[in-house]
Each structure stands twice: as C-alpha cells, then as structure tokens.
Amino acid sequence: MSIRHGLLALLDQGPRYGYQLRVEFEARTGATWPLNVGQVYTTLGRLERDGLVVPDSEDEEGHLFYAVTDKGRAELRSWFDTPVPRTSPPRDELAIKLAMAVTVPGVDVHAVVQAQRRHSIKALQDYTRLKARALAGESTSSEGDDRSDLAWLLVLDQLIFQTEAEVRWLDHCETRLAQYSERQADLPAPSAASDAPKARRRTRA
Amino acid sequence: MTDTFPSTTLAASRTEPVLHLAEVSRVHGQGAAQVHALRTVDLRVYPGEFVAVMGPSGSGKSTLLTLAGGLDSPTDGKVLVEGQSLGDLSRKRLAQVRRRSIGYVFQDYNLIPALTAAENIMLPRELDGISSRAARQEALAALEEVNIGELADRFPDDMSGGQQQRVAIARALIGDRRLVLADEPTGALDSTTGEAVLAVLRTRCDAGAAAVMVTHEARHAAWADRVVFLRDGRLVDETGRQDASTLLLTAATNSLNGPVTE
C-alpha cells in the first residue's frame, strides 16, 4: 500500500504536520486503511531522506510542518501517470485454499466455497450499508467535505467490486467443478492407469 | 437436516410475516420427466425486511418468486401473503390480492406498449376502482421515486431498457403494496442506475414493506438484509445482518497485514 504517495499527494496541497496528514488520509479513505502516527513519521523520515519533502516550519504548538519539494512533485506526477503494476499478482489466500481443496482428498470443496460465499456476501452487505449511508450523506454535506465524501465512496465501491469479483469467481469455480464431476461420471470404470500412482505410492512407503 | 431457515433478522419479533412459504414444493412434469423445482422450502419474510435469493441457474429462484406472487401454485405446501393462503382464495380474490398487496417486477418489464408510462402504472389502481385523477397522482409520485418523473407521458417503445425497467418498478411500488417481488430488477441497468433502483427498494423496506428479489449478482443482493441461497430446489444457506464496524476493522486489519505490505 503506497502511504508514501498518499502523503505526497496531501502535501502537494500545502505544508502539513504528521497528525494532520493522518487525519486527512483517513478521511479520504474512510479509515479503511488506518494509519498510526508512527507510520506517518517513519514515512515522512524516508521521504525527507530521499529529498521528496523538507521540514518547512514549526507553529507555536510545536507542530513540525513538512513541504513537498520539486523532486517530490515530480515523483507524485509519475505515480499518477503510471498504472499500478499487475506483474506479480498479490498472493491470494482464497485462491491457494481452493487450489489445495480440489487436490487434497476428503475436503468438501462445496462447503469451502459456500462458507466463503456467505462470508463475502456478508462483507458486501456491510459495505453496501456504509455506501447507502454515504450516498444519503452526499446530498447533505457541505462543499468542503464533498471531495472527501466522493473519495470515500470510490474506496467503498472498490471494496464492493473486489468482493463481488470474488463471489463471481466462487460461482464460476462451482460450475467448473460440476462440469468436471460430470465428465468424470461419464468416463468408463476406473482404469489401471488411474490406479497406478496409488500403487506406486504404496510400494514407496 | 431440514430445509427450514427461520428469520435470523427478526426472529424475536412477534409480527406476522408478510410472506410465508410454508414447506413449499413444486414439481414440473410427470413420471420420468419430473423436475423438482422446489423441495420443501420454508421462508418467512417480515415487514421491513428485504430478502435476496441467490443460486445457480435452475436452482429454483424464479419458481420461488412466481409461487410467492401467486402466478403459479405449489404442488405441496402453502403460500401465505399477509396470513392468507393463496391456494384457498377464489380466482377473483386472488387477482385482487395480487393487484393490491403484491408488486411484481418482471425480468422483461411486461409493460403494455399501447399505454404511456403513467398509464401503465395507473392501470392496477384503476382496476381497483380508484379515480383516474388520484391514480395519476400516485403514478407521478411513483415515477418521481425512481427519478423519471419527466417520462410520465412517454410510451415504452420510446424509452431505453433502463427507463422501462424503472417504470416497471414504479408500477410495483404504487399504492400501499406490502410485498414487492422482483426478478433480476437491475438486469438492464448500468451500475449507478441499478444502485438507485436498489436504494428505492431499500427505502421502501425501511418504511415497512417486505421485498424478495431474485438476483445472480452479489453486489445487488448485498442491498438486502438477508441473502438466502438455493441449490437444486432447496434453501441451503443464508446470511443475516452483521455489525458493520466489526467487519471494517477486519478488512482494515487484513489490508495492513496482507500480502500488499509484505
């Protein structure tokens, strides 16, 4: 998750101090990815090391404001201009679990699929309730909050579409499993070939 | 295991269900060609409840809805709407219940091409003996509710699929319908229009109506309070409500500890 670029984007709108950055980051993403202040300062430290931000000024309360440098601004532009890489898909526990479930004997794959489907749809219901609330609030919010509300709605939509994609994939897995079982049922009685690996295993043991 | 899933949402409530499918079965055909579309399904839907029905094609979703709407009769079991068993009613009385208590949104809209949007919506009300003027007022309000007030005097052929579907939904919402049944109501709509329609159904339920929606889209089912799953004609599972804050916390924890940060 790119906290680095998130913070750069916020600093691009003017100097800010750590706690302020945390609050604004969470407002835009509905605290979906909560930040602790420690993370913010660690990240600011790295950004400073890389010459992307500089300590700017301090107010009476001792808040240290950071400002984005020209190099930081260039880095931010290039972040917006470059697609998020898809070259190495993030490891997905569910995909791994199903891949294992279909190959490990004695696992009820349908039960695994249904348990996940129920869980994911519950998640969708919760996101949707939050969205319904956000949509209702959209019409009543003041102009300043507007952009933050929009940002939060987009993040919610992303969570919803991603979860939906998972459920669709589960549906698809079941269809594929059913087709596979049908094909297996159509095959003639188990041949010697399919018994061979078992026999080999036995001798090795 | 039984196929009975009492409502988890309102289990404690003493209200009568608006819709009760009591141990309902439906068999099509005879002998070797018999198809068990539904097998002893028990489902109660209470006032204020929005239930989504999901399941693969052929699982009995549409059969469940046509039975609930009195468009078909069960082979076994009873369908009760507001406590009345539809099977015990005369044809005339059944037609009346279908007109007054049940709003039905069909997958293919079922609008009458020779009537305008407003007239399509007014029709069931006028059949109930309500004056044209009052019925038109109601129709206009229902069209406003689905955000197409300006299309009142258009004919179905001059409307997009999405607009026709919204007219069909307005028709299902008109009057004091206690039960709204919808078969893939957002099929023809783009994602934000579909969302608006689901929000309308949601609001209706929050105001006390009961709704059952058949859908294969999880994103749409998620607007419901409860999602029930059908497989081979049986109710096999369901979700209830869950505290939103718990879940967001989980989601947040997952993203922080998940592979993205590793």
Side-chain angles (χ1 to χ4, degrees), chain B residues 60-177:
Chain B
K61 301 191 296 285
S62 293
T63 304
L64 187 150
L65 212 64
T66 51
L67 289 173
L71 303 174
D72 185 16
S73 322
T75 321
D76 216 345
K78 281 184 172 185
V79 177
L80 298 108
V81 174
E82 300 189 292
Q84 300 182 87
S85 170
L86 298 186
D88 298 341
L89 303 177
S90 67
R91 284 177 68 108
K92 193 179 159 197
R93 185 75 191 102
L94 177 63
Q96 213 172 53
V97 169
R98 282 179 38 199
R99 213 162 52 226
R100 290 183 186 166
S101 303
I102 306 173
Y104 205 107
V105 184
F106 297 88
Q107 207 165 0
D108 48 2
Y109 332 134
N110 269 13
L111 298 178
I112 299 171
L115 301 180
T116 64
E119 287 164 353
N120 262 286
I121 299 170
M122 290 158 62
L123 189 63
R125 303 297 284 156
E126 288 184 299
L127 288 173
D128 266 342
I130 287 170
S131 80
S132 293
R133 242 184 88 192
R136 185 169 164 87
Q137 286 309 314
E138 286 184 5
L140 295 180
L143 284 169
E144 281 301 333
E145 206 173 331
V146 292
N147 289 320
I148 46 164
E150 71 283 4
L151 302 182
D153 298 315
R154 286 250 194 114
F155 289 93
D157 281 352
D158 299 328
M159 289 186 269
S160 70
Q163 291 168 339
Q164 291 186 52
Q165 184 60 307
R166 281 193 272 177
V167 174
I169 286 163
R171 181 180 57 187
L173 295 179
I174 197 179
D176 188 26
R177 305 284 180 74

Side-chain angles (χ1 to χ4, degrees), chain A residues 3-188:
Chain A
I3 300 171
R4 255 169 95 82
H5 293 104
L7 297 190
L8 275 180
L10 293 172
L11 288 173
D12 193 37
Q13 296 158 53
R16 279 154 168 79
Y17 58 90
Y19 182 73
Q20 214 179 355
L21 285 167
R22 176 196 166 185
V23 169
E24 288 186 29
F25 184 89
E26 292 191 352
R28 277 168 179 73
T29 54
T32 310
W33 302 283
L35 288 182
N36 60 51
V37 146
Q39 263 173 309
V40 173
Y41 283 111
T42 313
T43 310
L44 281 172
R46 288 192 195 127
L47 287 169
E48 188 185 349
R49 179 198 67 198
D50 299 341
L52 304 175
V53 303
V54 283
D56 186 55
S57 58
E58 210 168 301
D59 67 8
E60 296 125 39
E61 287 158 71
H63 295 130
L64 181 57
F65 283 70
Y66 284 85
V68 68
T69 62
D70 284 345
K71 191 178 169 198
R73 234 167 250 129
E75 170 70 26
L76 180 63
R77 288 303 138 220
S78 118
W79 184 55
F80 281 128
D81 292 345
T82 317
V84 174
R86 288 282 170 211
T87 38
S88 60
R91 205 159 57 214
D92 186 291
E93 184 181 345
L94 180 57
I96 296 169
K97 190 188 273 191
L98 276 194
M100 294 300 157
V102 294
T103 48
V104 173
V107 177
D108 182 347
V109 186
H110 285 292
V112 173
V113 168
Q114 181 56 28
Q116 185 65 44
R117 180 187 283 124
R118 190 194 320 112
H119 182 78
S120 300
I121 286 184
K122 269 188 194 163
L124 266 180
Q125 285 177 292
D126 289 337
Y127 295 144
T128 304
R129 264 194 290 283
L130 289 170
K131 180 163 76 170
R133 215 181 297 159
L135 285 171
E138 209 187 19
S139 45
T140 57
S141 68
S142 68
E143 234 173 82
D145 297 336
D146 246 21
R147 284 267 153 182
S148 274
D149 287 353
L150 177 63
W152 166 224
L153 258 178
L154 294 181
V155 170
L156 266 177
D157 283 335
Q158 195 266 355
L159 295 171
I160 287 169
F161 277 99
Q162 212 169 45
T163 315
E164 183 196 33
E166 185 187 290
V167 175
R168 286 172 81 156
W169 175 67
L170 289 170
D171 293 347
H172 177 79
C173 287
E174 273 191 333
T175 312
R176 204 181 272 301
L177 276 169
Q179 283 170 354
Y180 179 82
S181 313
E182 263 168 46
R183 262 204 317 275
Q184 294 294 301
D186 287 347
L187 290 178

Side-chain angles (χ1 to χ4, degrees), chain B residues 178-195:
Chain B
R178 300 290 315 284
L179 179 62
V180 179
L181 304 171
D183 194 352
E184 303 275 6
T186 48
L189 309 179
D190 65 58
S191 63
T192 49
T193 313
E195 197 169 80

